[in-house]
Amino acid sequence: MLAELASRGFETVEEPGRKIVQEELNGAGVALPWVDLEAFARRAIDMATGDRNRVASSQGWVFFDRGLLDAAIALEHASGLAASVTLSGHARFHHQVFLTPPWPENHHRDSERQQDLKDGIAEHHRLIEAFDWLGYDPSFCQGSKSKREPVSF
């Protein structure tokens, strides 16, 4: 989806998670999400903040693939620190957040994603709840079963 938006002329920002995992696999491997989710989330927050600062002067729409909001929600899950606290001091994003559910057809484990489908679905539900609580309006991409129950076991 991000590639399609880029091909239509929109500025896009890749997710920080895969970049962090690549760096960690080439280094000490301490801040991997399956090793230390809190350390991973804190790195993702730092990277996403940098990404956002980098595109702050962009004139048009910028689409982020899993950025600051996701990282703050992951930190809340890992540490209990409320995402609203982590996000205080950061400008809000547009109210509409696009979500693609973890469909069995496209959710595959690889060297950078160790999360299985069941955990991906649980994370997806956490994101939906947190986006609502934070005042964002989740919009579900075509193909999901329904607005509130994208995929279930």
Side-chain angles (χ1 to χ4, degrees), residues 9-150:
F10 293 103
E11 188 163 356
T12 60
V13 178
E14 296 289 331
E15 70 170 291
R18 286 200 179 259
K19 289 185 259 183
I20 294 167
V21 169
Q22 289 169 356
E23 290 172 6
E24 288 294 320
L25 289 174
N26 291 325
V30 177
L32 292 164
W34 55 89
V35 173
D36 186 343
L37 181 58
E38 182 175 347
F40 172 80
R42 288 186 186 281
R43 281 207 55 204
I45 288 166
D46 290 343
M47 188 175 286
T49 300
D51 288 341
R52 190 163 189 199
N53 290 340
R54 183 179 50 79
V55 299
S57 62
S58 295
Q59 298 300 307
W61 289 98
V62 179
F63 290 89
F64 294 81
D65 184 1
R66 303 198 67 150
L68 185 57
L69 294 174
D70 296 70
I73 294 165
L75 181 60
E76 179 175 336
H77 177 67
S79 72
L81 179 63
S84 58
V85 171
T86 300
L87 295 169
S88 67
H90 292 276
R92 288 184 57 81
F93 288 87
H94 189 276
H95 71 90
Q96 191 171 23
V97 177
F98 297 103
L99 292 169
T100 302
W103 293 306
E105 301 81 20
N106 69 1
H107 188 91
H108 303 287
R109 285 181 162 183
D110 59 32
S111 63
E112 297 166 5
R113 180 197 285 161
Q114 297 295 312
Q115 184 184 59
D116 64 18
L117 182 59
K118 183 177 178 183
D119 290 337
I121 292 168
E123 179 185 26
H124 188 71
H125 286 285
R126 276 194 306 278
L127 291 171
I128 292 168
E129 289 175 22
F131 289 151
D132 280 341
W133 190 85
L134 291 167
Y136 289 92
D137 181 21
S139 294
F140 297 87
C141 297
Q142 189 175 12
S144 63
K145 292 181 179 183
S146 74
K147 281 193 163 191
R148 287 291 173 222
E149 296 181 15

